[in-house]
Amino acid sequence: LAKGAGKGDWKRYRPDLQTAMIERSALRQALHEAVEREQFVLHYQPIVDMPTGAVVGLEALVRWQHPERGLLGPYHFIELAEESGAIVGIGGWALREALHRFVRWQRDHPAAAPAYVSVNVSARQFRRPDFVGQVRAALDGTGAAPGALLLEITESLVLHDTEQVLADLRALRALGVRIAIDDFGTGYSSLSYLRHLPVDVLKIDKSFIDDIVTSDRQAALVTAIVTLARDLGLTVVAEGIEDAGQRATLNGMGCPYGQGYLFSKPVPPEAVPGTITAAELTAP
Ligand code: C2E
Ligand code: MG
Ligand code: MG
Ligand code: MG
């Protein structure tokens, strides 16, 4: 079908690539408009106290309700959103939405409500000069207590830190907001570096948890992280716990908190109150 030869020729041989490029640019355009069109939703995954299974927090995870493609997970669009800058708008929306929901859960289920909501923040969003102001405005606008907010940032943000990043982290903590390093262990920060970092929580990446039962090496690494975190006064959350063996091993290591399919997959907001009860029921 390709007309003529020359520049256009490659299209004949790489129809998949061409389709991918067209799809990508269509997706980028749609992504750009998706916040205003209210096409995003947040699902929530419990973070539990490991010994009892009680829900202590909820992590907000964004999904895109695409008009033609259905519900898309972050895998399908986060990278593109980072690249195009759309993540700034998406992240700002996610912050306000998560706090808004959280305040309503606290109001409607005061006895069962978890202590905090955790919101992912991309490096690009964090580096905006008005980020701290946005967080303050979201707290003021929803009436959420600053202590009810945990912001999850990536190792790479703090690794390539500037004075500004450190100053903003301090300013957020001065507000009473807590900071977590997400996917800890997948970046290249040295453990000793943590000592100087104004953060509160380490979330150990799922890739360390996967083989924790069968690999002595992985188990040793996680033990080291848990021990060091405790010595530094940091809280630890193990990510991606899928089976009871992993939970038992982590319990043996004294890892205080966990998150994963064993307890619950991320669920839509309507299902959150039930999920909290269900996770508590899995407690020993
Ligand atoms: P993350 O923040 O590390 O979130 C954990 C991811 O692991 C989630 O995937 C969650 O559904 C998944 N997960 C949790 N437990 C298990 C388990 O036991 N097994 C397996 N296989 N997976 C598990 P999800 O929701 O697809 O999110 C992927 C990533 O997208 C997140 O990783 C986060 O980096 C990013 N993301 C999600 N929402 C936002 C957001 O609002 N803003 C930004 N900047 N990034 C977001
Ligand atoms: Mg996260
Ligand atoms: Mg994570
Ligand atoms: Mg992860």
Side-chain angles (χ1 to χ4, degrees), residues 71-196:
L71 198 64
L72 300 178
Y75 165 80
H76 296 275
F77 62 88
I78 282 282
E79 217 182 283
L80 195 62
E82 298 258 1
E83 225 175 86
S84 72
I87 193 68
V88 175
I90 298 169
W93 169 83
L95 180 65
R96 291 186 300 275
E97 170 69 12
L99 288 174
H100 180 69
R101 285 278 179 185
F102 184 80
V103 166
R104 277 173 45 191
W105 281 319
Q106 280 195 319
R107 189 193 62 198
D108 298 343
H109 308 273
Y116 68 91
V117 66
S118 207
V119 179
N120 293 282
V121 178
S122 92
R124 191 155 175 177
Q125 182 189 358
F126 192 97
R127 287 208 174 88
R128 297 269 297 204
D130 57 344
F131 180 68
V132 177
Q134 273 179 27
V135 173
R136 198 183 290 118
L139 290 168
D140 290 347
T142 57
L149 177 62
L150 181 67
L151 294 177
E152 300 193 6
I153 61 172
T154 61
E155 244 176 319
S156 61
L157 175 73
V158 285
L159 205 61
H160 306 287
D161 64 1
T162 56
E163 276 311 308
Q164 193 54 55
V165 169
L166 290 177
D168 286 348
L169 288 172
R170 290 192 198 100
L172 288 165
R173 290 180 88 212
L175 287 179
V177 171
R178 293 185 309 144
I179 311 285
I181 300 191
D182 203 357
D183 305 333
F184 182 75
T186 58
Y188 297 93
S189 58
S190 70
L191 290 175
S192 64
Y193 182 73
L194 281 176
R195 202 178 301 275
H196 308 290

Side-chain angles (χ1 to χ4, degrees), residues 42-47 55 57-62 98 116-121 150 152 182-183 203 237 239 259 266-267 272:
L42 294 176
H43 284 192
Y44 297 86
Q45 187 180 35
I47 294 149
V55 178
L58 294 166
E59 178 174 3
L61 296 155
V62 72
Y116 68 91
V117 66
S118 207
V119 179
N120 293 282
V121 178
L150 181 67
E152 300 193 6
D182 203 357
D183 305 333
K203 298 190 76 174
V237 179
E239 294 191 292
Q259 184 176 1
V267 297
V272 163

Side-chain angles (χ1 to χ4, degrees), residues 204-272:
I204 306 176
D205 192 65
K206 178 179 183 301
S207 58
F208 288 87
I209 309 305
D210 285 341
D211 299 326
I212 201 174
V213 176
T214 49
S215 160
D216 290 346
R217 217 182 126 80
Q218 291 296 79
L221 274 169
V222 174
T223 302
I225 296 172
V226 170
T227 306
L228 180 96
R230 193 194 298 122
D231 291 350
L232 293 176
L234 300 171
T235 298
V236 187
V237 179
E239 294 191 292
I241 303 170
E242 293 184 343
D243 62 58
Q246 291 169 331
R247 180 186 185 180
T249 303
L250 286 159
N251 262 332
M253 293 172 177
C255 177
Y257 301 105
Q259 184 176 1
Y261 292 176
L262 174 67
F263 305 105
S264 170
K265 290 195 170 182
V267 297
E270 314 82 72
V272 163

